[in-house]
Amino acid sequence: MNAVKPKGRVTRTDVARLANVSEASVSYVLNGTPNKVSEKTAARIRRAAEILDYRPSAFARALKIGSSQTFGVIVPDFSNPYFASLSDEIESAASEHDYSIIFATSHSDAATERICIEKLKNRNVDVIFTSSALSNEELASLDQQHCRLVFLDHPTATPDVKCVSTDFAKSIGMMTSHLFSHGHTNIALLYGGNNYTDPRIQGWHQAHQQAGLPVGPVVRSHFTREGGYRATLEMLDSSNRPTALFAASDLEALGALRALHERHVRIPEDMALVSFDGSIDTLYSYPQLTTMQQDTHNIARYAVQAALHPDSSPDVTLVEPTLTARQSCGCVSI
């Protein structure tokens, strides 16, 4: 059986022509339909497909089975080690179910996120996972007629959507109480968002109220290294200089570290510093950062389960983090 491979994509018509059979016979064999074609003819069809290096159309297969077996994932920032880790875990969990991933980034911009959602819908993905920059009202209004959504890092119930997240309010409260246990009563929170109904802010207020202490300042720091750096310089120059900083992300904490080192502030002797996320970077800072470590492995697996089995998954799944105590709060000697 000799053939010249046609230009462009090889189709079932090309396979049928080379094997000298009908396209229906090719479909029976390549779809594994039993007892429709003799074994001799089936062997000839498989040989023709091998010679032509035939690859089934993913789009055609999606139409046949009603699924593209593809997920879309939208994150705010791939340079953030937390989102890099979470994306890797989602891809790993999806591959266990033979699903592929198409990644996109919103750059923490709501309009860009909406564009990403539409582009992924046009790629016929089955489900879109998004760590969203949209408000709760905007999230609730998203059209899911042709593609379901799973919200990541969103611990608030949203109609007709599955949400998987760390319990932010509880986590912030745990770390704030940890700083209280070190004797700190004047703590500032470096926070990247502008939504002061965020569960992180709720946890911050609740921890202070339960301890009977005035609520420490919340300083806008944009969830970036630069933001953490600038916000820390602001804190160091304030008339009410805190004795501890709680960065709402590892990126902000790394920026804060630079500012503290530049000002020759000893950590933790002069000022304690803790962070939220628990990415690998916290192990390689100096000093090593005490952090509330998010469980990206389980977040990803619960999210994929919610995508595959929405009827048996809770509307909101909260994943417990781990408080990892290291040098920057004073738990471990430098």
Side-chain angles (χ1 to χ4, degrees):
M1 188 182 296
N2 297 313
V4 176
K5 186 175 179 180
K7 294 181 180 179
R9 186 182 183 89
V10 176
T11 67
R12 292 191 177 190
T13 301
D14 298 315
V15 175
R17 186 180 297 115
L18 180 59
N20 195 25
V21 298
S22 68
E23 288 186 44
S25 295
V26 173
S27 294
Y28 291 143
V29 172
L30 298 183
N31 288 330
T33 305
N35 304 321
K36 290 290 185 179
V37 178
S38 70
E39 185 52 42
K40 182 177 180 180
T41 300
R44 191 164 73 250
I45 291 170
R46 286 191 286 268
R47 178 58 180 156
E50 181 182 353
I51 290 172
L52 294 174
D53 192 24
Y54 170 74
R55 297 174 184 273
S57 165
F59 180 70
R61 185 174 185 277
L63 289 176
K64 179 179 177 62
I65 67 175
S67 167
S68 67
Q69 289 193 274
T70 304
F71 294 141
V73 177
I74 305 171
V75 299
D77 180 6
F78 282 119
S79 71
N80 186 323
Y82 165 71
F83 289 116
S85 174
L86 181 58
S87 297
D88 184 65
E89 291 286 1
I90 291 174
E91 184 173 39
S92 177
S95 68
E96 293 173 6
H97 300 277
D98 295 324
Y99 273 71
S100 300
I101 300 287
I102 300 174
F103 291 103
T105 180
S106 67
H107 303 290
S108 299
D109 179 74
T112 302
E113 182 179 348
R114 286 185 175 278
I115 292 171
C116 289
I117 289 172
E118 291 306 312
K119 285 182 177 180
L120 289 170
K121 285 181 178 179
N122 290 337
R123 296 289 296 273
N124 296 300
V125 301
D126 295 318
V127 178
I128 296 173
F129 303 94
T130 179
S131 183
S132 187
L134 300 171
S135 68
N136 289 342
E137 293 75 16
E138 289 173 315
L139 289 172
S141 70
L142 290 173
D143 179 15
Q144 296 189 75
Q145 182 177 356
H146 302 294
C147 180
R148 289 187 296 106
L149 297 168
V150 173
F151 294 157
L152 304 169
D153 302 322
H154 188 77
T156 305
T158 304
D160 302 319
V161 178
K162 301 302 179 182
C163 302
V164 182
S165 175
T166 297
D167 188 336
F168 291 135
K170 180 179 179 181
S171 304
I172 293 290
M174 287 173 60
M175 183 62 87
T176 305
S177 296
H178 182 73
L179 289 173
F180 292 157
S181 73
H182 279 282
H184 297 286
T185 58
N186 184 7
I187 309 166
L189 177 67
L190 307 183
Y191 171 64
N194 55 11
N195 175 16
Y196 287 88
T197 64
D198 187 302
R200 297 173 181 86
I201 304 301
Q202 295 174 7
W204 176 250
H205 281 263
Q206 289 167 4
H208 283 82
Q209 291 166 359
Q210 290 169 3
L213 294 169
V215 178
V218 177
V219 185
R220 183 81 186 278
S221 46
H222 304 285
F223 288 125
T224 64
R225 300 172 183 87
E226 177 69 14
Y229 174 72
R230 297 295 176 190
T232 302
L233 292 177
E234 178 184 333
M235 285 291 95
L236 292 175
D237 292 335
S238 69
S239 58
N240 184 26
R241 177 168 162 170
T243 64
L245 294 178
F246 185 176
S249 73
D250 291 342
L251 289 187
E252 291 159 294
L254 294 174
L257 271 176
R258 175 186 165 186
L260 294 172
H261 288 316
E262 285 182 355
R263 292 291 185 88
H264 305 291
V265 176
R266 296 176 302 164
I267 310 165
E269 294 87 353
D270 300 329
M271 186 174 291
L273 173 65
V274 298
S275 71
F276 191 95
D277 278 344
S279 64
I280 190 66
D281 285 8
T282 60
L283 281 171
Y284 295 93
S285 63
Y286 183 79
Q288 289 184 339
L289 287 169
T290 291
T291 185
M292 187 61 73
Q293 186 167 14
Q294 298 199 69
D295 186 350
T296 55
H297 178 82
N298 278 327
I299 291 172
R301 272 151 179 73
Y302 283 124
V304 169
Q305 285 300 311
L308 295 174
H309 308 290
D311 292 339
S312 60
S313 297
D315 292 337
V316 178
T317 301
L318 297 180
V319 180
E320 291 291 325
T322 301
L323 197 163
T324 303
R326 299 194 184 109
Q327 299 166 345
S328 67
C329 69
C331 279
V332 179
S333 299
I334 297 177

